[in-house]
Amino acid sequence: MASYDLVTMVNYALKTTGQQKLAYVGHSQGTTMGFACFTSSSNGSNKPHLCPKDFANKISVFIAIAPVTFVNHATNDMFHAVAHLRLAELIEATGHHEFLPSTDLVQELLPNLCKKSKMDKNFCLNIYCITGGCDNSVNHVNMTRLPVYFARLPAGTSTKNMIHWAQMVRKNNFQMLDRGLIGNRRQYGQFSTPQYNLKNLNVDVALYHGGLDVLGDVEDFKQAFKQIPKSRVKTVLFYPDYGHFDFMWGIHAHKDVYPDILLRIKESFN
């Protein structure tokens, strides 16, 4: 996704608009893609290169919302279960390459469930909180929009993507996919798994993270932040009562978070 999707999307946007640069805004895995690309697109950084060597010249600023790099301290129990039980590996071994694919039944069942009784709505709210994090007062959750969110959840991903995440959980590394000795040699030109070195971040970054985030845990954020060149950091804003999804779906995000994001984007073009 960092090598192909991100590069293709940025190049398409620039070609379509005729601009020389754009601000890259990522949430969750969108930030993972950004950190992977922007630390391996210069001569002095990781090899093999994930992104073209001059790619950073196309990015005015990297807006990292609920950033995820290291995941050793993530408190999402389902995330750890997938990693330590090697569920994605088992699914792939059966010949299936989708992980939690969306189905017509799920898309019909969950939204209707979230519209019904208070007990049913609390069930949906619990899923929201378990997977993303929230507090008991539920300050930021838009209850009336839960049926809309659950109409598209789970969205599914590839088993290969989940295998990659599971490896990072087990090894506490921010690294490329471990393909085994032979596979690594063939893909990367070395037997060991290449690491993403955040010290090589070569774009300016603005960071927004939450104290209740069970995927982008505060301790993991601190581990990553120690490595990021401080000359590249434009701002770090911490929201103690924000979970992982509150930055996207929270009813206060438009006041708490987005104004500063717009400011950083505007400044990046001055």
Side-chain angles (χ1 to χ4, degrees), residues 44-83:
S45 65
N46 309 65
K47 294 181 181 180
H49 298 290
L50 282 183
C51 295
K53 293 182 180 181
D54 62 345
F55 193 71
N57 297 332
K58 300 178 179 181
I59 307 299
S60 66
V61 68
F62 172 21
I63 305 294
I65 307 169
V68 184
T69 52
F70 298 98
V71 286
N72 190 54
H73 294 90
T75 53
N76 183 314
D77 291 334
M78 289 186 289
F79 200 50
H80 279 275
V82 169

Side-chain angles (χ1 to χ4, degrees), residues 126-144:
N126 285 336
I127 295 177
Y128 181 100
C129 292
I130 290 170
T131 55
C134 67
D135 61 13
N136 292 329
S137 60
V138 198
N139 290 326
H140 303 294
V141 179
N142 188 340
M143 294 294 293
T144 62

Side-chain angles (χ1 to χ4, degrees), residues 255-268:
K255 295 186 295 184
D256 296 342
V257 185
Y258 300 160
D260 192 80
I261 290 175
L262 294 174
L263 174 64
R264 302 301 165 183
I265 293 174
K266 182 178 180 179
E267 288 179 347
S268 72

Side-chain angles (χ1 to χ4, degrees), residues 230-246:
K230 300 307 175 284
S231 61
R232 287 294 188 182
V233 177
K234 293 302 180 183
T235 191
V236 180
L237 291 183
F238 176 60
Y239 301 84
D241 58 351
Y242 267 60
H244 197 68
F245 301 132
D246 293 332

Side-chain angles (χ1 to χ4, degrees), residues 16-37:
T16 301
T17 61
Q19 300 298 310
Q20 298 299 311
K21 286 188 174 187
L22 57 73
Y24 176 76
V25 181
H27 172 269
S28 189
Q29 187 164 245
T31 72
T32 314
M33 294 163 57
F35 282 115
C37 177

